[in-house]
Amino acid sequence: AGKDRTGALATVVLGLAGWLKRIVGDEYSLLRLGVKLHRNVLLGMLKAWSSNWDLGALGMRKSSLVKKEFMLEFMEAAEKEYGNVGSFVRGSRWRKWGGLGMC
């Protein structure tokens, strides 16, 4: 659905801007409001795309989860490996992911 990719990009931008990890996680967790509101519509679209998919399967149920811990873990991993988010952006892993086209 893109929520995690979008969240990762927003996390990088907010990290570069100096936001506290806790606040970045809280902001990301607000996505759950929109996801919850439209969850049935999104799952219905997936079911229409492939009628063989079991919407009750664990993977499908987890696809709509939005937890601030996801982005906190992402930031902590970037800091552990690169020292800070800025170094992560300049690092090879971000380039492998496609980066922002600015590295």
Side-chain angles (χ1 to χ4, degrees):
K3 66 180 172 42
D4 293 327
R5 289 185 301 264
T6 303
L9 177 61
T11 296
V12 168
V13 171
L14 296 174
L16 290 171
W19 284 41
L20 297 173
K21 286 187 284 190
R22 177 186 55 79
I23 295 173
V24 172
D26 289 345
E27 289 293 319
Y28 176 74
S29 70
L30 290 175
L31 280 173
R32 78 182 181 288
L33 300 175
V35 170
K36 182 178 179 181
L37 182 64
H38 300 289
R39 182 179 186 277
N40 290 334
V41 172
L42 295 170
L43 291 176
M45 290 170 58
L46 288 173
K47 186 69 171 177
W49 187 39
S50 178
S51 60
N52 296 330
W53 286 358
D54 176 11
L55 298 181
L58 182 61
M60 285 296 196
R61 291 194 318 269
K62 285 189 171 187
S63 70
S64 61
L65 289 178
V66 178
K67 294 183 176 184
K68 69 180 177 182
E69 290 81 13
F70 296 163
M71 288 306 121
L72 294 176
E73 289 173 13
F74 170 70
M75 290 182 81
E76 288 170 8
E79 288 178 356
K80 182 178 180 182
E81 187 165 337
Y82 294 95
N84 59 51
V85 176
S87 294
F88 171 72
V89 171
R90 292 183 294 279
S92 61
R93 182 163 293 160
W94 183 254
R95 288 190 192 133
K96 287 179 189 175
W97 291 352
L100 296 172
M102 299 186 302
C103 298

